Amino acid sequence: MTETFVIAQGGGPTAVINQTLVGAALEARKRYPRSRVLGARYGVRGIRDGDLVDLSALDEKELRAIAATPSAALGSTRDKPDAAYCETILKGLRQAGATAFIYIGGNDTAGTQQILAEASGGDIAFVHAPKTIDNDLVENDHTPGFISAAEFVAGAFVSVDLDFRALPGIYVGIVMGRHAGFLTAAAAAWQLDGDSGPHLVYVPERAFSPTRFVEDIREAMDRHGRCIVAMSEGVTAEDGRSVVEGLVPPDRLERDAHGNVRLSGGDLGMSIERLINDGLPGIRARVDTFGYLPRGNISTTNATDVREAFEAGVFAVDAASRGGGSVALQHENGVTAPRLVALGSVAGKTRHLPADFLLPEGNQVSSSCREYLERLLPRRFELARPFV
């Protein structure tokens, strides 16, 4: 029997998404020696447009090199297909002779697979393979891409804290994360001691008050002589709107094709800098927006992340043989392994930072969060306690 696997990548690239692509491609070729493995360029657009790459034609050495390369080798898309769009995708899959479609991405990607599975009539297996630096997929202990991005964030905040010990002041680092604060919380993973930054952590799961923010910084400055802040780009005000919507004039707000306020630019950073300068004038302050830097950084690609992303791709082929579903990385008895869950368990849902991962004040992570981060991001260096 000849199997035809179509694989696509959706959403934001990561440092290890190509490991999942190659894990699936190699496993499909191993399990089904006569199989075809096709890669769709630019996500489901490639299926719709018949823009496919024959991954069966590449030797293992070439595929392994692709696996070790950050970003999405096939290209990606943020399209959120509706029922009509999915009909064109199904048509493209059938024209390609697909027996299985593996789509690597986040909860929107799982949503697309659920729509396709329900409309297909069962002649194609639809598998969602996990990927997101936001770490916000339900059913998953953590997601491929998160650990590598978190290592970038953790290292950056250790470094900037040491910088501001030497030249005291206020530092705010704005980290990606529209709805979930896991990546921002990772800023606290490698703190050296109780005096270490980040001294304040603000995430979308807790309402943000500009007035309280200035007071929090003032208190941290009094206690530590400096203040290091980790802030999610998706922090929200008490009315549920993103903070950037309340700080930036409406005519300056940018929105994407889905109507979401653009969070990754400099508007939030400039607004936060103004808050600090107005509330705490005369203190050295710096606000940086990390933007896309953490998500596919080749210098912080984590070995565990690499292995788990590859294993997720391998498991996706097995999931296809079982009729499809969503691959989830679950942690039990000290071991993380992929499991198969229903697409409906993941599609369109957001996993938030657990309530007990934050202190009651909502501006710092708890011991439970530190334990979780220490398990995923064991510190790989020893540093001396500075004299200052």
Side-chain angles (χ1 to χ4, degrees), residues 14-16 70 133 145-156 159 183 190 292-306 376-377 380-381:
T14 77
V16 298
I133 66 168
F146 170 69
I147 297 178
S148 295
E151 187 162 307
F152 179 100
V153 171
S159 302
L183 192 59
W190 291 347
Y292 295 153
L293 289 174
R295 75 182 185 187
N297 191 281
I298 195 168
S299 63
T300 57
T301 302
N302 178 277
T304 298
D305 207 13
V306 166
L376 299 181
L377 294 168
R380 52 181 175 78
F381 50 79

Side-chain angles (χ1 to χ4, degrees), residues 292-343:
Y292 295 153
L293 289 174
R295 75 182 185 187
N297 191 281
I298 195 168
S299 63
T300 57
T301 302
N302 178 277
T304 298
D305 207 13
V306 166
R307 175 178 55 78
E308 291 179 344
F310 189 90
E311 289 173 352
V314 171
F315 189 83
V317 174
D318 181 68
S321 72
R322 292 194 259 166
S326 182
V327 179
L329 295 189
Q330 299 185 347
H331 187 79
E332 296 177 9
N333 301 318
V335 177
T336 299
R339 302 281 187 270
L340 185 61
V341 301
L343 287 167

Side-chain angles (χ1 to χ4, degrees), residues 1-3 27-36 56:
M1 178 179 178
T2 300
E3 300 286 330
E27 179 66 13
R29 290 173 15 170
K30 174 183 174 183
R31 185 178 291 216
Y32 307 102
R34 297 174 56 197
S35 67
R36 289 195 308 155
S56 307

Side-chain angles (χ1 to χ4, degrees), residues 7 50 59 67 86 133 148 159 192 194 226 249 281-282 300 338 341 360 366 379:
I7 308 175
D59 63 29
C86 283
I133 66 168
S148 295
S159 302
L192 299 178
R226 68 194 188 286
T300 57
V341 301
S366 68
R379 193 179 299 168

Side-chain angles (χ1 to χ4, degrees), residues 3-88:
E3 300 286 330
T4 298
F5 289 82
V6 176
I7 308 175
Q9 299 168 311
T14 77
V16 298
I17 187 173
N18 290 330
Q19 293 285 349
T20 305
L21 166 68
V22 172
L26 289 176
E27 179 66 13
R29 290 173 15 170
K30 174 183 174 183
R31 185 178 291 216
Y32 307 102
R34 297 174 56 197
S35 67
R36 289 195 308 155
V37 183
L38 306 175
R41 298 181 69 235
Y42 300 106
V44 288
R45 293 184 186 185
I47 300 172
R48 178 194 66 188
D49 301 337
D51 189 3
L52 304 172
V53 177
D54 186 1
L55 300 177
S56 307
L58 302 179
D59 63 29
E60 183 170 342
K61 182 178 179 181
E62 290 177 287
L63 286 171
R64 295 280 183 181
I66 290 169
T69 304
S71 189
L74 292 171
S76 190
T77 180
R78 289 202 180 276
D79 287 3
K80 297 181 181 180
D82 57 14
Y85 192 160
C86 283
E87 281 300 320
T88 67

